[in-house]
Amino acid sequence: MSNDIDFIINFLGEHQDGYHRAVSPPIFQTTNFGFQTVADLRLALANESTTPFYTRGTNPTNRLLAQKLAALEKAEAALLFASGSAAIAAAVMANVQHGDHIVSVQKPYSWTTKLMSNLLHRFGVQVTYVDGTEPKNFEKAIQPNTKLFYLESPNSLTFELQDIGAISAIAKAHGLLTLVDNSCAGPLFQNPMALGADLVMHSATKYIAGHSDAVAGVVCGSQALIEKIFASEYMTLGGVLSPFNAWLLLRGLRTLPLRMAKSAENAQKIMQYLDTQPLVTKIYHPFHPQHPQLQLAKQQMKNAGGLFSFELSHDLSIGQIEQFCNSLKRFILAVSWGGYESLIFPLCALTDSANYQKSTVSPHIIRIYTGVEDAAVLIDDLKQAFEAIF
Ligand SMILES: *Cc1c(COP(=O)(O)O)cnc(C)c1O
């Protein structure tokens, strides 16, 4: 049977005979599962990572989703979490202990930075951040106690890439693991494991859920690495996804290819419009001709989605940038992305935030996410907002 994307999304793991041939799989909204004999109970308990026994461990709705997500990432197995941050924390923590060292790409997602620099620091784990655009920087930062490389490619604010294949090869040569946050590209446009990575994490809140209604995360990897996380962080910290949210993600997955294609197409159209705007000085998107790593992007990504940033002229005041954003009627001023709706997030909003380090990024940059609306409507909205600041 073919393992193509349509098969994975529509058929893999579904056994409708088990539930009256319902087209949409049921939500197993239950905490625990009963057994007929002590022998069955004992057997289930011994195989808690694969057998429905207690929902913090395994639940059939979650298992169906995990099976599909693992297959999409070309991984043997996956674990679902209550958020992307929980997934990232579990994946990292399961593979370090007191006295260990991590080499991370600089400026990972804000709460990932906090995980490594603040939380893990309390437990004696050190981190070195490197410019990830040059694979050699990872190698140079290796210490005798280094255990893993942490990548996030593309970055979701300024879209720098890391050469996942080259960096994973360096890791392998030194006996280290490579972990990649693949939220920005999503599982259809980039598969880090096929490039040599060991664990891939997603904020499934974004493209995978796709409807701005569920916070979720996933870690994909080999059976052995996933079992290791299951037996430690997954079960002890217990930040697992609810069956209801797993079901919402299954629903979201059905249209992932459609949504990704439309969002990416809208981004292209809107970037083409912004390219003609004199007030726009730069566009940050992996597939934009201005991107300094365009060649790498085309090599390791099938496409890039609807998330990108643009910089406005420094002749504009922050007040004017705020006025531009406030004038938008279709784009919603909000964080996150990956849903049906278009969003705008000006980085000048970070200035008073405790979540972000002292701004390493220009406050003239605005991040856009293009949803699945009609591109013409979005472009008209941007037009009237530019007119509002002239
Ligand atoms: C949103 C995001 C996260 C965190 O995911 P949550 O689901 O919000 O916990 C991690 N990494 C990246 C790149 C993200 O965009």
Side-chain angles (χ1 to χ4, degrees), residues 83-85 88 109 112 152 156 181 183 203 205-206 215-216 337:
S83 71
S85 291
I88 291 166
Y109 178 70
T112 303
E152 187 182 301
S156 64
D181 180 340
S183 306
S203 168
T205 312
K206 315 289 168 54
V215 174
W337 40 272

Side-chain angles (χ1 to χ4, degrees), residues 187-390:
L188 299 190
F189 288 171
Q190 177 173 269
N191 294 130
M193 291 196 51
L195 300 166
D198 298 289
L199 287 171
V200 175
M201 297 80 71
H202 286 275
S203 168
T205 312
K206 315 289 168 54
Y207 288 124
I208 294 169
H211 293 74
S212 307
D213 53 10
V215 174
V218 62
V219 182
C220 305
S222 68
Q223 197 72 48
L225 285 175
I226 291 297
E227 284 280 344
K228 183 179 174 187
I229 299 170
F230 180 89
S232 56
E233 282 66 20
Y234 188 77
M235 289 302 280
T236 56
L237 300 180
V240 306
L241 192 65
S242 69
F244 181 70
N245 277 358
W247 182 83
L248 283 176
L249 267 66
L250 281 168
R251 189 177 68 151
L253 259 194
R254 308 290 195 196
T255 56
L256 184 64
L258 277 175
R259 291 185 287 103
M260 292 303 296
K262 179 70 173 174
S263 176
E265 181 194 309
N266 278 353
Q268 287 298 336
K269 288 184 179 162
I270 286 166
M271 286 192 289
Q272 274 163 20
Y273 162 72
L274 290 173
D275 275 333
T276 66
Q277 292 307 297
L279 287 177
V280 175
T281 52
K282 195 169 172 190
I283 290 185
Y284 301 81
H285 180 275
F287 276 43
H288 189 275
Q290 264 180 2
H291 198 287
Q293 297 168 290
L294 178 63
Q295 208 187 332
L296 175 63
K298 292 199 163 160
Q299 187 187 310
Q300 70 183 12
M301 301 169 71
K302 290 188 195 80
N303 198 350
L307 194 67
F308 66 95
S309 293
F310 64 97
E311 190 160 18
L312 285 173
S313 165
H314 286 233
D315 294 341
L316 294 178
S317 66
I318 298 299
Q320 283 172 300
I321 290 175
E322 289 186 22
Q323 197 188 339
F324 171 83
C325 295
N326 295 345
S327 304
L328 290 164
K329 295 180 170 65
R330 295 294 184 130
F331 287 89
I332 300 171
L333 260 169
V335 287
S336 198
W337 40 272
Y340 55 89
E341 78 291 6
S342 292
L343 303 168
I344 194 116
F345 183 68
L347 301 200
C348 65
L350 298 177
T351 23
D352 289 327
S353 166
N355 299 355
Y356 289 82
Q357 300 136 302
K358 279 272 168 289
S359 214
T360 49
V361 282
S362 161
H364 284 76
I365 295 177
I366 294 177
R367 187 177 75 176
I368 274 196
Y369 167 69
T370 53
V372 298
E373 305 97 323
D374 183 348
V377 169
L378 299 175
I379 290 170
D380 281 348
D381 194 25
L382 291 166
K383 267 186 197 152
Q384 63 83 25
F386 276 121
E387 280 158 17
I389 57 169
F390 270 131

